[in-house]
PDB file of all heavy atoms in Angstrom:
ATOM      1  N   ASP M  51       9.103  17.088 -17.433  1.00 98.00           N
ATOM      2  CA  ASP M  51      10.073  18.050 -16.879  1.00 98.00           C
ATOM      3  C   ASP M  51       9.372  19.333 -16.425  1.00 98.00           C
ATOM      4  O   ASP M  51       9.744  19.930 -15.419  1.00 98.00           O
ATOM      5  CB  ASP M  51      11.136  18.410 -17.931  1.00 98.00           C
ATOM      6  CG  ASP M  51      12.018  17.220 -18.261  1.00 98.00           C
ATOM      7  OD1 ASP M  51      12.024  16.245 -17.477  1.00 98.00           O
ATOM      8  OD2 ASP M  51      12.689  17.244 -19.318  1.00 98.00           O
ATOM      9  N   TYR M  52       8.357  19.718 -17.186  1.00 98.00           N
ATOM     10  CA  TYR M  52       7.641  20.959 -16.850  1.00 98.00           C
ATOM     11  C   TYR M  52       7.046  20.874 -15.436  1.00 98.00           C
ATOM     12  O   TYR M  52       7.151  21.803 -14.634  1.00 98.00           O
ATOM     13  CB  TYR M  52       6.521  21.212 -17.882  1.00 98.00           C
ATOM     14  CG  TYR M  52       5.662  22.395 -17.528  1.00 98.00           C
ATOM     15  CD1 TYR M  52       6.078  23.696 -17.816  1.00 98.00           C
ATOM     16  CD2 TYR M  52       4.446  22.222 -16.848  1.00 98.00           C
ATOM     17  CE1 TYR M  52       5.301  24.793 -17.455  1.00 98.00           C
ATOM     18  CE2 TYR M  52       3.666  23.315 -16.483  1.00 98.00           C
ATOM     19  CZ  TYR M  52       4.105  24.597 -16.787  1.00 98.00           C
ATOM     20  OH  TYR M  52       3.347  25.671 -16.420  1.00 98.00           O
ATOM     21  N   LYS M  59       9.475  25.677  -8.832  1.00 98.00           N
ATOM     22  CA  LYS M  59       9.216  27.113  -9.007  1.00 98.00           C
ATOM     23  C   LYS M  59       8.198  27.628  -7.984  1.00 98.00           C
ATOM     24  O   LYS M  59       8.359  28.705  -7.407  1.00 98.00           O
ATOM     25  CB  LYS M  59       8.691  27.359 -10.423  1.00 98.00           C
ATOM     26  CG  LYS M  59       8.656  28.826 -10.805  1.00 98.00           C
ATOM     27  CD  LYS M  59       8.221  29.018 -12.241  1.00 98.00           C
ATOM     28  CE  LYS M  59       6.731  29.325 -12.276  1.00 98.00           C
ATOM     29  NZ  LYS M  59       6.140  29.370 -13.587  1.00 98.00           N
ATOM     30  N   ARG M  83      -2.070   9.406   6.246  1.00 98.00           N
ATOM     31  CA  ARG M  83      -3.430   9.271   5.733  1.00 98.00           C
ATOM     32  C   ARG M  83      -4.436   9.673   6.814  1.00 98.00           C
ATOM     33  O   ARG M  83      -4.320   9.276   7.969  1.00 98.00           O
ATOM     34  CB  ARG M  83      -3.697   7.833   5.268  1.00 98.00           C
ATOM     35  CG  ARG M  83      -3.258   7.615   3.826  1.00 98.00           C
ATOM     36  CD  ARG M  83      -3.741   6.290   3.277  1.00 98.00           C
ATOM     37  NE  ARG M  83      -2.990   5.173   3.804  1.00 98.00           N
ATOM     38  CZ  ARG M  83      -3.467   4.240   4.593  1.00 98.00           C
ATOM     39  NH1 ARG M  83      -4.735   4.270   4.965  1.00 98.00           N
ATOM     40  NH2 ARG M  83      -2.699   3.264   5.011  1.00 98.00           N
ATOM     41  N   ARG M 163       2.483   5.071 -14.600  1.00 98.00           N
ATOM     42  CA  ARG M 163       2.774   5.053 -16.032  1.00 98.00           C
ATOM     43  C   ARG M 163       1.957   6.152 -16.719  1.00 98.00           C
ATOM     44  O   ARG M 163       0.787   6.349 -16.391  1.00 98.00           O
ATOM     45  CB  ARG M 163       2.437   3.684 -16.608  1.00 98.00           C
ATOM     46  CG  ARG M 163       3.321   2.569 -16.013  1.00 98.00           C
ATOM     47  CD  ARG M 163       2.674   1.221 -16.186  1.00 98.00           C
ATOM     48  NE  ARG M 163       3.514   0.121 -15.710  1.00 98.00           N
ATOM     49  CZ  ARG M 163       3.227  -0.640 -14.646  1.00 98.00           C
ATOM     50  NH1 ARG M 163       2.156  -0.410 -13.913  1.00 98.00           N
ATOM     51  NH2 ARG M 163       4.021  -1.633 -14.314  1.00 98.00           N
ATOM     52  N   GLU M 187      -5.730  26.695   0.146  1.00 97.00           N
ATOM     53  CA  GLU M 187      -4.898  27.861   0.429  1.00 97.00           C
ATOM     54  C   GLU M 187      -3.590  27.416   1.081  1.00 97.00           C
ATOM     55  O   GLU M 187      -3.601  26.538   1.957  1.00 97.00           O
ATOM     56  CB  GLU M 187      -5.680  28.768   1.389  1.00 97.00           C
ATOM     57  CG  GLU M 187      -5.160  30.176   1.432  1.00 97.00           C
ATOM     58  CD  GLU M 187      -5.967  31.018   2.419  1.00 97.00           C
ATOM     59  OE1 GLU M 187      -7.184  30.726   2.595  1.00 97.00           O
ATOM     60  OE2 GLU M 187      -5.394  31.928   3.014  1.00 97.00           O
ATOM     61  N   LEU M 231     -11.437   2.889  -5.614  1.00 98.00           N
ATOM     62  CA  LEU M 231     -12.323   2.724  -6.777  1.00 98.00           C
ATOM     63  C   LEU M 231     -12.106   1.354  -7.431  1.00 98.00           C
ATOM     64  O   LEU M 231     -13.059   0.702  -7.879  1.00 98.00           O
ATOM     65  CB  LEU M 231     -12.078   3.834  -7.809  1.00 98.00           C
ATOM     66  CG  LEU M 231     -12.324   5.279  -7.350  1.00 98.00           C
ATOM     67  CD1 LEU M 231     -12.061   6.248  -8.508  1.00 98.00           C
ATOM     68  CD2 LEU M 231     -13.741   5.476  -6.813  1.00 98.00           C
ATOM     69  N   PHE M 247       2.320  -6.295  -2.304  1.00 98.00           N
ATOM     70  CA  PHE M 247       3.536  -6.272  -3.124  1.00 98.00           C
ATOM     71  C   PHE M 247       3.462  -7.426  -4.116  1.00 98.00           C
ATOM     72  O   PHE M 247       2.691  -8.376  -3.937  1.00 98.00           O
ATOM     73  CB  PHE M 247       4.798  -6.368  -2.253  1.00 98.00           C
ATOM     74  CG  PHE M 247       5.011  -7.704  -1.570  1.00 98.00           C
ATOM     75  CD1 PHE M 247       5.333  -8.856  -2.285  1.00 98.00           C
ATOM     76  CD2 PHE M 247       4.911  -7.814  -0.189  1.00 98.00           C
ATOM     77  CE1 PHE M 247       5.550 -10.078  -1.657  1.00 98.00           C
ATOM     78  CE2 PHE M 247       5.115  -9.034   0.454  1.00 98.00           C
ATOM     79  CZ  PHE M 247       5.429 -10.161  -0.285  1.00 98.00           C
ATOM     80  N   PRO M 267      -0.317  -4.501   6.399  1.00 95.00           N
ATOM     81  CA  PRO M 267      -0.726  -3.113   6.657  1.00 95.00           C
ATOM     82  C   PRO M 267       0.454  -2.157   6.452  1.00 95.00           C
ATOM     83  O   PRO M 267       1.612  -2.577   6.449  1.00 95.00           O
ATOM     84  CB  PRO M 267      -1.171  -3.135   8.119  1.00 95.00           C
ATOM     85  CG  PRO M 267      -1.516  -4.560   8.385  1.00 95.00           C
ATOM     86  CD  PRO M 267      -0.561  -5.367   7.554  1.00 95.00           C
ATOM     87  N   VAL M 291      -5.017  -8.576  -9.465  1.00 98.00           N
ATOM     88  CA  VAL M 291      -4.814  -9.996  -9.765  1.00 98.00           C
ATOM     89  C   VAL M 291      -6.010 -10.488 -10.581  1.00 98.00           C
ATOM     90  O   VAL M 291      -7.159 -10.335 -10.156  1.00 98.00           O
ATOM     91  CB  VAL M 291      -4.688 -10.844  -8.472  1.00 98.00           C
ATOM     92  CG1 VAL M 291      -4.180 -12.251  -8.807  1.00 98.00           C
ATOM     93  CG2 VAL M 291      -3.761 -10.181  -7.460  1.00 98.00           C
ATOM     94  N   ALA M 333      14.564  11.863  -7.426  1.00 98.00           N
ATOM     95  CA  ALA M 333      13.993  11.338  -6.176  1.00 98.00           C
ATOM     96  C   ALA M 333      13.389  12.503  -5.397  1.00 98.00           C
ATOM     97  O   ALA M 333      13.948  13.597  -5.380  1.00 98.00           O
ATOM     98  CB  ALA M 333      15.072  10.668  -5.333  1.00 98.00           C
ATOM     99  N   GLY M 349      17.210   6.398  11.769  1.00 97.00           N
ATOM    100  CA  GLY M 349      17.622   5.029  11.440  1.00 97.00           C
ATOM    101  C   GLY M 349      18.401   4.909  10.144  1.00 97.00           C
ATOM    102  O   GLY M 349      18.404   3.856   9.523  1.00 97.00           O
ATOM    103  N   PRO M 423       5.895 -16.806  13.099  1.00 98.00           N
ATOM    104  CA  PRO M 423       6.550 -16.046  12.016  1.00 98.00           C
ATOM    105  C   PRO M 423       6.087 -16.432  10.613  1.00 98.00           C
ATOM    106  O   PRO M 423       5.986 -15.579   9.742  1.00 98.00           O
ATOM    107  CB  PRO M 423       8.034 -16.364  12.213  1.00 98.00           C
ATOM    108  CG  PRO M 423       8.158 -16.682  13.664  1.00 98.00           C
ATOM    109  CD  PRO M 423       6.881 -17.370  14.046  1.00 98.00           C
ATOM    110  N   ALA M 451      -3.333   7.496  17.181  1.00 93.00           N
ATOM    111  CA  ALA M 451      -2.411   6.813  18.090  1.00 93.00           C
ATOM    112  C   ALA M 451      -1.714   5.637  17.408  1.00 93.00           C
ATOM    113  O   ALA M 451      -2.308   4.949  16.588  1.00 93.00           O
ATOM    114  CB  ALA M 451      -3.183   6.323  19.306  1.00 93.00           C
ATOM    115  N   ASN M 616       7.499 -29.298  17.980  1.00 95.00           N
ATOM    116  CA  ASN M 616       7.834 -30.708  17.828  1.00 95.00           C
ATOM    117  C   ASN M 616       6.851 -31.645  18.535  1.00 95.00           C
ATOM    118  O   ASN M 616       6.771 -32.816  18.219  1.00 95.00           O
ATOM    119  CB  ASN M 616       9.263 -30.967  18.311  1.00 95.00           C
ATOM    120  CG  ASN M 616      10.257 -30.386  17.317  1.00 95.00           C
ATOM    121  OD1 ASN M 616       9.911 -30.194  16.139  1.00 95.00           O
ATOM    122  ND2 ASN M 616      11.452 -30.077  17.781  1.00 95.00           N
TER     123      ASN M 616
END
Side-chain angles (χ1 to χ4, degrees):
D51 293 343
Y52 175 81
K59 192 176 97 187
R83 274 190 285 114
R163 296 159 176 112
E187 198 181 330
L231 299 181
F247 69 69
V291 192
N616 288 337

